[in-house]
Amino acid sequence: NKNDEGAAPGVETKKLYGFDRVNGGTYIHGMCTDGTYIYSIRTTYSSSERKALVTKQDMTTGEVLATSPLTEQAITEATAGVSYYDGKIVVFGNNGTNYSINASLSGGWTEYTGYDFDTKNKLILNDVSFAAGRQEFAVLTGSVVKVYKADKTFSHEFNILNDENGGSLKRMYANEKYIYTIFSKDGMFNPSIHIYDWSGTRLARQLLPHNLAATSPEVTNSGSTNCQGLIVTNDN
């Protein structure tokens, strides 16, 4: 839930369901939702560009309902976000070329130009959220959030502040009210969430507590994992 600035008492984490491994997608990076299903982009480890796939899961049970084919070898960890817009799932290539597939995850990936927000220079996208209630896009590129209107015209931008606990900016997710960002680093299992309004004012920062009820021992005993995915449903 949205909380006051700082690690306020009473914040709870709980495990709703596991994100089981799938062939070709050991690690989950970005996450998004169409309001009914959760879509997660997954890769195997590589220090360079990777192929990726996306899974579609039931929001209540966690059951994997569909798995996409692999993308081209074009995704890096920094750009391994995923977005839902206009019935499509979109992922972001390292060179600014983006790819989409139908939200059913059937068929193949094709080059996607619907996120060409800057026609002069291709933006390297880390995450994109479309807030239908606002008819605006929040676009994370580097450490900057750019806000665009529904017709892709630029509105304004703001910088994401560094986190007081360290770690690096991983992902962004936006809804009609707020823009959320998550910071983490290897071995840091209590990620920090920042909450902004759409004008760019940071309203809250919350360090999420970590416990085995929410994270498996496999993660806890590893010094090389971190928390990256972030979605918001029903203000949670």
Side-chain angles (χ1 to χ4, degrees):
N1 286 319
K2 179 181 176 294
N3 287 281
D4 295 332
E5 190 85 10
V11 177
E12 296 181 359
T13 58
K14 63 179 180 179
K15 184 175 181 178
L16 297 178
Y17 43 79
F19 285 88
D20 294 337
R21 292 180 177 179
V22 297
N23 290 334
T26 304
Y27 303 108
I28 290 179
H29 298 283
M31 300 167 64
C32 69
T33 179
D34 60 3
T36 303
Y37 303 105
I38 293 175
Y39 300 86
S40 304
I41 183 170
R42 303 168 181 243
T43 71
T44 55
Y45 176 75
S46 173
S47 59
S48 58
E49 293 178 344
R50 315 174 188 186
K51 295 181 178 181
L53 58 82
V54 172
T55 53
K56 178 179 183 177
Q57 291 178 264
D58 184 279
M59 191 176 291
T60 302
T61 66
E63 179 186 0
V64 176
L65 304 174
T67 301
S68 78
L70 288 166
T71 66
E72 296 181 11
Q73 192 161 319
I75 311 299
T76 61
E77 188 164 339
T79 63
V82 60
S83 175
Y84 171 82
Y85 176 64
D86 194 27
K88 296 181 177 63
I89 298 300
V90 185
V91 300
F92 315 121
N94 186 47
N95 65 355
T97 300
N98 306 311
Y99 305 90
S100 70
I101 193 170
N102 189 286
S104 66
L105 304 186
S106 59
W109 293 95
T110 59
E111 186 173 338
Y112 183 69
T113 59
Y115 281 175
D116 289 349
F117 297 101
D118 186 338
T119 55
K120 294 181 180 179
N121 303 289
K122 279 190 174 183
L123 294 176
I124 306 299
L125 302 179
N126 305 106
D127 254 325
V128 176
S129 290
F130 179 66
R134 299 181 62 91
Q135 289 293 292
E136 287 184 308
F137 292 91
V139 177
L140 178 65
T141 174
S143 60
V144 176
V145 171
K146 296 176 177 284
V147 177
Y148 292 84
K149 300 175 184 177
D151 63 1
K152 314 292 175 58
T153 57
F154 178 76
S155 174
H156 61 279
E157 66 181 48
F158 59 91
N159 291 315
I160 298 298
L161 300 174
N162 291 331
D163 184 64
E164 292 83 341
N165 198 48
S168 59
L169 175 61
K170 298 297 185 184
R171 308 280 167 239
M172 176 210 72
Y173 188 81
N175 62 14
E176 280 68 23
K177 292 182 179 180
Y178 306 112
I179 295 173
Y180 301 80
T181 60
I182 181 170
F183 286 77
S184 188
K185 60 184 176 182
D186 284 353
M188 177 181 169
F189 310 122
N190 50 342
S192 183
I193 307 294
H194 294 195
I195 305 175
Y196 289 81
D197 65 21
W198 279 77
S199 71
T201 300
R202 192 173 81 170
L203 303 175
R205 169 187 175 268
Q206 181 64 62
L207 191 65
L208 296 186
H210 165 259
N211 55 61
L212 285 178
T215 308
S216 69
E218 181 182 15
V219 172
T220 305
N221 294 333
S222 171
S224 60
T225 56
N226 55 67
C227 300
Q228 296 194 12
L230 169 73
I231 58 171
V232 179
T233 61
N234 299 321
D235 285 333
N236 289 288

